[in-house]
Amino acid sequence: MSASPGGDGEMKASDAQRGREHADPDEGVRPLPWFLVMFLGAMAMWGAFYIYITPSGEESAYGDQRTVATLRPPEAMAGAAAKVDGKQLFGSKCAACHQATGLGVPGVFPPLAGSEWVVGDEKVLTHILLRGVNEELVVKGTAYRGAMPAWKAMSDDELAAVMSYIRGEWGNQAAPIKADTVKAQREATKARTEPYNGGQELKSGT
Ligand code: HEC
């Protein structure tokens, strides 16, 4: 029987060729060198440690507490020290809740315009600003149950300026508050770490 083209003979030849070929190369699992693993582990630990020991700075709860006055270079402050702008402070710190109109948001944020707390006892107003208020607070006959943040990070001058501003704006007519008053009340209430529990506790004094 003669070998037909493309028949047995050729198949045998290609089998033999295949037999001689090296196996296809494949990637072996080459472990990372131990010192590299140790090095990476050490770097990760150092990173965690570094984050842990790095001080994070100011209390961040209410965002960047710096005002234009703080950012101004000291030379410029010399003449302008007494001129902390209460209106500007109000716009940046308070208006988000109490609104630029001082009318607040019905049922959520109480009004400052015509509020008995704003034009009332300067000490009580200072306490509200310094320590904050939670629980029920009645303003102009309406009860609010919100959370007024504490503004203890603001300086005496700044608090005096913003309080004086709200006491003389929107038809309010109460005397301005001095930085000394803020300083004295900050001292008097320094033991307090929690906000006041509503209007009753505010009226009680400390
Ligand atoms: C996150 C919203 C918020 C911001 C910001 C805020 N307040 Fe208030 N404030 C409240 C809430 C809520 C109450 C009522 C608290 C309660 O119900 O116990 C309140 C109450 C008050 C009161 C007493 C009640 C009244 O209406 O007279 C005064 C005064 C006051 N805030 C002034 C300020 C001033 C000044 C600033 C800026 C330095 C300010 N607040 C920033 C939410 C806010």
Side-chain angles (χ1 to χ4, degrees), residues 98 107-110 117 128 131-139 142-150 192 194-203:
H98 294 288
V108 189
F109 302 119
W117 298 99
I128 294 175
R131 309 297 168 199
V133 191
N134 286 336
E135 302 302 331
E136 190 178 86
L137 188 67
V138 179
V139 185
T142 308
Y144 292 83
R145 279 185 156 274
M148 160 75 176
R192 176 171 283 279
E194 295 292 306
Y196 284 89
N197 261 323
Q200 283 312 111
E201 199 184 33
L202 264 173
K203 283 187 183 140

Side-chain angles (χ1 to χ4, degrees), residues 67 84-94 154 158 161-162:
T67 61
V84 185
D85 187 348
K87 181 173 184 173
Q88 185 263 325
L89 282 171
F90 181 83
S92 63
K93 311 267 184 196
C94 324
M154 286 169 76
E158 290 173 333
V162 78

Side-chain angles (χ1 to χ4, degrees), residues 44-62:
M45 275 193 273
W46 162 247
F49 176 68
Y50 185 78
I51 291 171
Y52 180 74
I53 58 163
T54 306
S56 62
E58 297 285 333
E59 195 180 333
S60 59
Y62 306 125

